Amino acid sequence: MTEADVELHGPARGEGPPRRYGPVAGVAVLSDVHANIPAFEAVLAEPDVAAADLVVICGDLTWGPEPQETYERIVALGERALCLRGNADRYAAQIGTAARVADTPRQSWIVARHSPEAITFLDRLPFGLVVEIEGLGPVHFCHGSPRSDHELVTPGTPSERFAELSAAIDARVLVTGHSHLQFDRTVAGLRSVNPGSVGLPYHTGEPGTAYWALLGPGVRLRTTRYDVGDAVARAHRAGDPEVDRYAGTLTNAPDPERIVAEAEELIFVN
């Protein structure tokens, strides 16, 4: 599938160019929390996250068992937290504002677990932002790619496609989420970083591992241990209609090599 074959989901109408922040010394980067509260709280409790000037969350805050609780913890971070729109956030906001109709029982269930304030928050999330970070310069953050929130960037993304998707950015470092894969590579003359997923990672490590990154003055890929049993139990108590699939991903994550192969074949995935 190519860009010509799909509807791109870039900045909202009237959003304008990415807002710029900084300079700052350090940024903690989290992505794809997917409403996994035990994982999210464990990462937020990390001293380096608490000490960071900013906490950038690269989308997909929601689409998991405890979205309202996730929203409340983000609000509690105050102005330090800069959140971006992921494809899951877009879906939840569209259904929650009646711009689209839920296709499955789980979609309806997830959206119903948001307060009106949380839906409004998701609906107003920006598509991208740029932070000037000491040692790295301007860093561009988004969820999928700089041209769509559902385009996958992986460790296997060819340089030609990467050059195309990053052509319009004014930065030497591009930080994306969406693929749930943690990596740091140089491609097409830019540094491509994904902090990995906090709440639903694809990895070969031990279950109960949350992935994130610390930026400034370099790039440090980090992991944090959390109680995966608690996360599964909370999903059961919440009544998640797809709790078995959710728990299976947490306890037996997909192999990254398979995910890269599938992602590079599909390119765009909601």
Side-chain angles (χ1 to χ4, degrees):
M1 186 177 294
T2 66
E3 180 184 354
D5 301 320
V6 299
E7 176 187 1
L8 297 181
H9 300 285
R13 185 186 301 272
E15 185 173 333
R19 186 171 177 181
R20 305 182 78 92
Y21 299 83
V24 297
V27 174
V29 190
L30 287 58
S31 190
D32 298 276
V33 176
H34 284 289
N36 180 338
I37 287 294
F40 192 32
E41 289 184 334
V43 174
L44 291 179
E46 287 277 7
D48 283 339
V49 175
D53 297 299
L54 297 172
V55 178
V56 175
I57 305 178
C58 289
D60 279 12
L61 321 173
T62 186
W63 224 262
E66 297 187 273
Q68 180 63 25
E69 294 82 354
T70 302
Y71 160 73
E72 291 168 359
R73 282 154 180 77
I74 291 170
V75 170
L77 292 173
E79 295 183 355
R80 289 181 61 236
L82 303 177
C83 298
L84 298 173
R85 186 195 83 209
N87 59 303
D89 309 312
R90 169 170 51 84
Y91 260 65
Q94 288 174 335
I95 296 170
T97 58
R100 68 180 301 136
V101 176
D103 297 322
T104 68
R106 190 176 192 244
Q107 290 183 6
S108 298
W109 178 83
I110 284 175
V111 173
R113 292 184 63 80
H114 296 74
S115 67
E117 293 79 12
I119 290 295
T120 298
F121 176 81
L122 295 179
D123 194 43
R124 294 176 178 173
L125 289 175
F127 176 71
L129 59 86
V130 177
V131 181
E132 182 83 23
I133 303 175
E134 293 177 12
L136 294 171
V139 178
H140 188 106
F141 297 84
C142 57
H143 179 66
S145 81
R147 59 187 181 184
S148 182
D149 66 27
H150 76 318
E151 181 171 12
L152 289 156
V153 178
T154 79
T157 298
S159 60
E160 180 179 348
R161 179 164 73 89
F162 189 87
E164 292 174 356
L165 67 86
S166 63
I169 72 171
D170 178 23
R172 304 307 301 169
V173 182
L174 173 62
V175 179
T176 59
H178 192 40
S179 71
H180 295 215
L181 300 168
Q182 187 183 70
F183 61 86
D184 176 11
R185 68 190 288 240
T186 298
V187 56
L190 298 180
R191 193 167 188 174
S192 174
V193 176
N194 189 315
S197 171
V198 169
L200 211 60
Y202 303 152
H203 62 101
T204 57
E206 289 294 317
T209 304
Y211 291 74
W212 57 286
L214 195 65
L215 274 56
V219 175
R220 285 171 280 175
L221 301 180
R222 301 286 297 273
T223 60
T224 297
R225 298 288 296 156
Y226 74 95
D227 186 346
V228 68
D230 182 31
V232 171
R234 293 173 76 126
H236 277 284
R237 288 198 300 270
D240 189 335
E242 295 186 8
V243 66
D244 291 339
R245 184 166 67 89
Y246 174 80
T249 302
L250 289 182
T251 57
N252 186 26
D255 179 78
E257 290 188 6
R258 177 173 66 83
I259 294 298
V260 169
E262 292 176 355
E264 290 304 323
E265 181 178 356
L266 296 171
I267 301 179
F268 296 93
V269 173
N270 268 313

